[in-house]
Amino acid sequence: IIIYPNPTNGAINISSSDINIQKVEIYDIAGKKLNTFNFDNTNQAHVSIAEYAAGTYVIKVNTNIAQIVNKIK
């Protein structure tokens, strides 16, 4: 899984060559879930986070194989 750009300009892209993305969740640094984006088993996803203030957020990507957690700024 590749998550880019980081730091972001208000949108993030998530891509994978062989893992299907099912859901992306955005959390603030305190652990509060801010949003959930559902996908139909795609290998590329685009998520807008422009509505959130500048800062650090945690992104959780659920795939058909595993969950991946990463911080984005």
Side-chain angles (χ1 to χ4, degrees), residues 3-14 26 37 45-52 59 72-73:
I3 301 171
Y4 63 95
N6 192 6
T8 181
N9 58 2
I12 54 173
N13 298 296
I14 305 158
I26 307 294
F37 302 90
H46 179 82
V47 175
S48 175
I49 58 169
E51 65 212 55
Y52 307 123
I59 182 168
I72 55 173
K73 296 181 182 184

Side-chain angles (χ1 to χ4, degrees), residues 16-71:
S16 169
S17 59
D18 58 353
I19 297 175
N20 291 328
I21 301 163
Q22 297 175 331
K23 181 169 54 173
V24 175
E25 296 173 335
I26 307 294
Y27 295 84
D28 65 15
I29 201 68
K32 178 183 173 190
K33 187 190 299 186
L34 301 175
N35 209 338
T36 300
F37 302 90
N38 293 302
F39 296 95
D40 190 23
N41 287 319
T42 184
N43 63 351
Q44 294 192 6
H46 179 82
V47 175
S48 175
I49 58 169
E51 65 212 55
Y52 307 123
T56 302
Y57 296 89
V58 175
I59 182 168
K60 180 176 166 184
V61 180
N62 291 297
T63 71
N64 60 325
I65 296 174
Q67 292 181 352
I68 295 101
V69 179
N70 196 0
K71 287 184 183 177

